[in-house]
Amino acid sequence: MAGMASAEEETAEFPPFTLVPWSRRALGWLINWLVPFFLTNLTLNWIIFGQRETEIQASSTTLWSFVIVCVVSGALSKAGQMPGHRVMRIQVINLSGVPVSKPKQIFRNLAHSVDWFFLGIGWLLPLWDRRGQTLADKIAGTCVVDVTAGTHPPRVHH
């Protein structure tokens, strides 16, 4: 087919970095998202609605909590690593091998909302994707690499 790259061509374009096992990505996600999200959600509910809230109010604070955590965690990232990434020794890079910038990290964080569509399949995609990408990674043009392995991108200090 015209315009379609072969698997060898696509692999040749991809930098030779060590991809991260899904389990390490999942643990990094728990550190980056789960605790901050629930703390933010509880705080917003308490500040805005007090002890009583409706389902619509709960949905609203859930959405705002997601956005706040996306922006704050992306802003706290350094050289493609949010706090959970540093703990798990993983790094988010673009497909040319350069650690992502803070704005790109924030965009990727927001794109993770797409991973929840289709029953969360986007989160599981790295289990069989040859680049180990979630749907958010595909949208943002990123991948997650192991910084404990011998081949990893250089650290860029912003």
Side-chain angles (χ1 to χ4, degrees):
M1 289 182 216
M4 298 284 291
S6 70
E8 292 104 13
E9 290 172 332
E10 286 184 20
T11 304
E13 295 172 10
F14 188 64
F17 303 123
T18 303
L19 298 175
V20 177
W22 187 85
S23 58
R24 278 183 51 206
R25 288 185 70 156
L27 288 172
W29 177 83
L30 287 172
I31 295 166
N32 285 332
W33 292 93
L34 199 58
V35 173
F37 174 79
F38 282 113
L39 290 176
T40 303
N41 200 28
L42 288 172
T43 303
L44 283 177
N45 279 326
W46 181 73
I47 290 171
I48 297 171
F49 303 116
Q51 303 251 336
R52 297 181 179 179
E53 65 179 348
T54 66
E55 286 184 33
I56 293 172
Q57 290 169 332
S59 296
S60 173
T61 55
T62 298
L63 174 64
W64 279 109
S65 296
F66 173 75
V67 171
I68 289 168
V69 171
C70 283
V71 172
V72 170
S73 62
L76 292 175
S77 69
K78 183 176 181 182
Q81 292 182 302
M82 296 187 328
H85 296 150
R86 286 190 283 279
V87 170
M88 298 311 299
R89 305 218 9 103
I90 61 180
Q91 185 175 36
V92 181
I93 62 171
N94 65 29
L95 296 181
S96 64
V98 178
V100 296
S101 64
K102 290 179 187 222
K104 182 123 182 186
Q105 184 71 56
I106 293 169
F107 173 74
R108 179 180 176 270
N109 289 349
L110 292 168
H112 272 307
S113 62
V114 176
D115 289 328
W116 290 107
F117 294 139
F118 310 110
L119 304 173
I121 296 296
W123 287 110
L124 299 175
L125 193 59
L127 291 170
W128 61 83
D129 183 77
R130 67 179 182 74
R131 289 184 176 169
Q133 293 176 296
T134 63
L135 288 175
D137 286 319
K138 290 183 180 298
I139 292 167
T142 60
C143 65
V144 180
V145 297
D146 187 343
V147 295
T148 61
T151 56
H152 58 82
R155 298 229 176 223
V156 176
H157 299 287
H158 293 112

